[in-house]
Amino acid sequence: RWFTHFYVVSVLWNGFLLLCLLRAEFLGESLPSWIQDMHRALGRDSQSKDMGNEHFSALLVLLLLWLHSCRRLAECLWTSVFSSGVIHIVQYCFGLGYYIAVGSTVLCQVPTNVRNGKKLSVQICWYHITGVIMYIWASLHQHRCLAILANLRKSRSGKVVSLSHSVPFGDWFESVSCPHYFAELLIYVSMAITLGIHNVTWWCVVMYVLFNQALAAVLCHEFYQKNFSSYPKHRKAFIPLVF
């Protein structure tokens, strides 16, 4: 349940970064000086030339990241039913740092001077549309799967009646043990597409999410197989039909 803290931090921090970028892109304002210092510390050239759609792409991805955090926070507060499990302090601290770093990573895809006082000229491309559609599709399935998990611990009236684990069925659970982790990967892939596909920095983020979520999925899959003798043998751990 302390994952809730991650999304509180993400909503506040990435919401703040989104506001700063919106003001810079549409009002021609400069980013705060400390953000510019952070850019320089991370190697971003403040005088980088205008790369056109990269500005809008970064703005759109930061918006998607913030919306993702808002949804996950709402699900932690009102959908999910958590057990009495605990999180390691190292993992907790790393999680807080991750959601601060990931928004900063998006912001560093544009130069600190942003547009030299010029307002943003929005040009919507095919990869923006493709990325957003994939983002919505994966987000809907992730929410459905989280709701399925929560309902296993609730009565028909919605009252929590158990904190034990049960075998989930429905939606992507018919193919994999942890479809909500697979959906998380797809959400980050959708952001990579939205950035124009070629952004190497964000693909590094995607690779981190891939390995992180795959490890968690394998551990959950092994737990199901160990504790439920009738667990469906055709289910994969993470990626349908593959892994």
Side-chain angles (χ1 to χ4, degrees):
R1 60 172 57 85
W2 279 21
F3 271 65
T4 304
H5 300 177
F6 299 162
Y7 300 117
V8 170
V9 169
S10 183
V11 168
L12 294 177
W13 172 250
N14 293 317
F16 169 73
L17 294 182
L18 177 61
L19 179 61
C20 288
L21 190 55
L22 282 169
R23 293 175 65 89
E25 295 286 13
F26 288 102
L27 300 180
E29 297 181 2
S30 298
L31 293 171
S33 59
W34 61 270
I35 291 183
Q36 296 187 37
D37 292 339
M38 179 180 68
H39 270 65
R40 285 189 286 270
L42 294 174
R44 163 55 86 174
D45 181 4
S46 63
Q47 299 303 317
S48 297
K49 64 179 181 178
D50 188 343
M51 298 300 290
N53 281 355
E54 288 190 358
H55 287 268
F56 178 64
S57 298
L59 179 63
L60 185 55
V61 168
L62 194 55
L63 173 62
L64 295 179
L65 180 64
W66 181 73
L67 290 175
H68 176 63
S69 300
C70 289
R71 178 180 61 82
R72 290 294 294 118
L73 176 59
E75 288 167 343
C76 285
L77 294 175
W78 297 298
T79 301
S80 298
V81 179
F82 297 103
S83 67
S84 56
V86 296
I87 185 173
H88 195 282
I89 184 63
V90 174
Q91 185 183 9
Y92 177 74
C93 293
F94 183 85
L96 292 176
Y98 169 78
Y99 282 100
I100 293 175
V102 72
S104 304
T105 300
V106 178
L107 193 61
C108 284
Q109 303 313 299
V110 295
T112 54
N113 58 10
V114 187
R115 304 193 64 80
N116 293 314
K118 299 178 181 179
K119 295 182 181 180
L120 177 66
S121 177
V122 177
Q123 293 181 316
I124 298 177
C125 297
W126 66 268
Y127 49 82
H128 296 142
I129 297 173
T130 302
V132 170
I133 290 175
M134 183 176 180
Y135 171 89
I136 294 173
W137 175 65
S139 297
L140 287 174
H141 279 285
Q142 187 178 57
H143 177 74
R144 290 173 186 169
C145 292
L146 290 170
I148 288 172
L149 287 175
N151 289 335
L152 292 175
R153 296 176 171 176
K154 297 178 181 179
S155 65
R156 290 187 176 182
S157 63
K159 182 180 179 180
V160 176
V161 295
S162 173
L163 294 181
S164 62
H165 292 84
S166 303
V167 179
F169 293 92
D171 204 78
W172 287 355
F173 278 110
E174 300 302 322
S175 301
V176 292
S177 296
C178 300
H180 47 307
Y181 294 155
F182 178 53
E184 184 81 1
L185 173 63
L186 293 180
I187 287 170
Y188 278 83
V189 170
S190 74
M191 294 181 191
I193 295 173
T194 304
L195 278 172
I197 302 179
H198 61 275
N199 191 294
V200 177
T201 301
W202 194 258
W203 280 112
C204 290
V205 176
V206 172
M207 291 303 295
Y208 162 76
V209 173
L210 168 62
F211 289 113
N212 178 274
Q213 299 296 294
L215 175 59
V218 168
L219 294 175
C220 289
H221 186 65
E222 292 177 347
F223 173 86
Y224 282 129
Q225 291 179 322
K226 179 180 179 180
N227 290 276
F228 301 97
S229 58
S230 60
Y231 192 72
K233 297 185 181 300
H234 68 277
R235 289 189 189 180
K236 299 295 184 180
F238 184 46
I239 302 176
L241 305 176
V242 178
F243 174 69

